Structure formats: C-alpha cells, structure tokens
Amino acid sequence: MAKKGYFITFEGADGCGKTTQSKLVQKYLEENGYDVLWTREPGAIGLGQKIRELLLHYDGDVAPMCEAFLFLADRAQHIENIIKPAINSGKIVICDRHTDSTIAYQGYGRGEDIERLTYLNNLATGDTKPDLTFVFDVSTEIAQLRVGDEKDRMESAGIEFHKKVRQGYLKIAKQEPHRVKIVNADNCIEDVFEDTKKLLNDFLKINP
Ligand code: TYD
C-alpha cells in the first residue's frame, strides 16, 4: 500500500486572499522537499471546467439546490480523478476551496439546510476528508474592495450574503477546531503567510 499523503484545503470568502496563500504554501512545501499537487474547486478538470462556467457565468435563474448540486457534481469528479489518486500516491494535495465552501455559501449564505448539505458533501467525497483546513478571515468590506468591480455570479450576490458566508466559516471553525484553523487575513500578504506557515509547520512537524 502506497504511503498516504495529506489533504489541505484553503477556504474563505471571496477576496480573502486564499489563492495567493495556497500558492505560497505550495512553493514553501516544495522547497522543503514535499511532493505537492495544487488544485481548486470548482473546475479543476475538463468536465469541472464546464460546470464552473455555468456556476460563475450563467445569467438565468439558478435555484439554490441546483447550485449546490453543481458544486457537488464537480467535487465528486474532482475527488475521484485528481484528489484521491494524488493523496494515495503520497502527495500533499492543496485544494483552493472544497466542502466547507458548500456549507458556507450554499448553507449559511443561501440558507440551505446544513445537515442535508453535509450529508451530500459526504456522498460526493466518500472517505476522503481534509486533514487540515485554513480559513482566511477578513472583514467583508475589505474583501469586497479586493474583489473589485468585475464580479462573477457568486461575487455579485451582495454584501449581506457575503457577511453570512464569513460568519458561516467562523461557525465551521468553531465546530471543528482541530481541523479548521482561522488565519487573520486583514494584514499584508507576508504577515498572513507567516501565520499560515506557523500553523502548517505545527501540523507537518517542520522545524524551520
Ligand atoms: P472562484 O473564482 O474560484 O473564486 P475564488 O478565487 O474566490 O475561489 O469562484 C468560486 C466561487 O464559487 C466563489 O464565489 C465561491 C463559490 N463556491 C460555492 O459557492 N460553493 C462551493 O462549494 C464552491 C467550491 C465554491
């Protein structure tokens, strides 16, 4: 049986800076000799890219549970084709958004039932769960400024929606403190990375 790797997810509201941090972590881990795969949801692979296009740019009506199922469909394919094989081959998989996005956005943001979404997340992912999750927390006002004026369908959902998403992430972190670590993302990129790195070193037992 191959050595099992780790699965680390990066989460937070739009404009929190998690993509930048996930790329910095990838570089840092590679410099420390780890074999890393960086990926993202939605839309890491062929079919997922089509789903991503619908989710972010379809301009007609989308029912909240239809939205949830599209994210879940992308996830099911992503887990099977990319994430699971990489973890099983001993890689560290860094994923920019995963199951907690569905709970924060479709659950706390859109108001869909959290337990039902958790059940559906479990169906989509089977026994592959994140070992560690970073939630980059930033005030909604700052995050919205970072997103700028060119917004996709999700980013255009309004400030009240994004405030609920932020609070949703904080609740998730409170419920699963062992897995989910909050990083204050109000600061500059370097400071946020220092905080992230400390938590990561702790988790992987890296002595800098
Ligand atoms: P993306 O451009 O990847 O945003 P970001 O760079 O902030 O990650 O778009 C993904 C959008 O989809 C983002 O607004 C969050 C949303 N989303 C959900 O609502 N539910 C989900 O399950 C996932 C994975 C993403």
Side-chain angles (χ1 to χ4, degrees):
M1 174 91 183
K3 172 170 79 82
K4 190 184 168 297
Y6 290 106
F7 184 22
I8 305 178
T9 57
F10 286 67
E11 296 277 2
D14 292 271
C16 71
K18 67 184 167 34
T19 305
T20 306
Q21 294 299 323
S22 69
K23 301 267 187 183
L24 288 171
V25 165
Q26 175 186 16
K27 187 163 169 273
Y28 173 69
L29 288 176
E30 283 171 351
E31 282 165 3
N32 277 276
Y34 288 93
D35 194 0
V36 182
L37 176 92
W38 185 96
T39 186
R40 71 162 179 190
E41 292 183 8
I45 44 138
L47 176 59
Q49 282 162 359
K50 300 255 180 211
I51 299 176
R52 178 184 173 87
E53 186 58 29
L54 283 174
L55 279 163
L56 300 188
H57 302 295
Y58 180 70
D59 62 2
D61 179 50
V62 183
M65 276 314 280
C66 169
E67 182 178 282
F69 276 114
L70 287 171
F71 282 114
L72 288 155
D74 168 68
R75 183 161 304 134
Q77 185 77 11
H78 191 206
I79 279 277
E80 208 48 41
N81 285 16
I82 308 273
I83 297 175
K84 216 151 77 170
I87 297 172
N88 287 342
S89 73
K91 288 190 199 318
I92 295 190
V93 175
I94 290 179
C95 191
D96 187 343
R97 294 199 181 284
H98 189 61
T99 42
D100 297 309
S101 284
T102 303
I103 303 300
Y105 280 77
Q106 282 65 54
Y108 290 104
R110 299 275 193 228
E112 290 301 315
D113 185 78
I114 307 285
E115 262 182 50
R116 206 146 49 132
L117 291 173
T118 303
Y119 173 76
L120 293 172
N121 259 337
N122 287 338
L123 272 188
T125 61
D127 56 3
T128 306
K129 307 280 179 239
D131 299 296
L132 173 67
T133 296
F134 294 109
V135 166
F136 294 89
D137 183 55
V138 65
S139 85
T140 306
E141 287 73 14
I142 293 181
Q144 289 290 297
L145 279 178
R146 286 185 188 162
V147 167
D149 290 334
E150 265 192 41
K151 294 184 164 70
D152 62 38
R153 197 180 66 82
M154 297 303 297
E155 288 163 348
S156 311
I159 191 134
E160 287 314 313
F161 172 80
H162 284 99
K163 282 188 174 163
K164 286 188 212 159
V165 169
R166 179 188 184 199
Q167 291 310 317
Y169 274 122
L170 296 176
K171 281 186 198 153
I172 295 170
K174 212 166 176 187
Q175 280 158 4
E176 286 186 75
H178 187 69
R179 169 179 70 90
V180 184
K181 308 294 176 194
I182 296 176
V183 180
N184 178 352
D186 275 328
N187 302 329
C188 67
I189 291 174
E190 292 75 20
D191 289 355
V192 177
F193 183 54
E194 278 309 306
D195 292 346
T196 309
K197 214 161 64 175
K198 273 188 207 130
L199 291 163
L200 188 71
N201 289 345
D202 224 29
F203 176 77
L204 292 172
K205 307 202 170 29
I206 299 174
N207 284 316

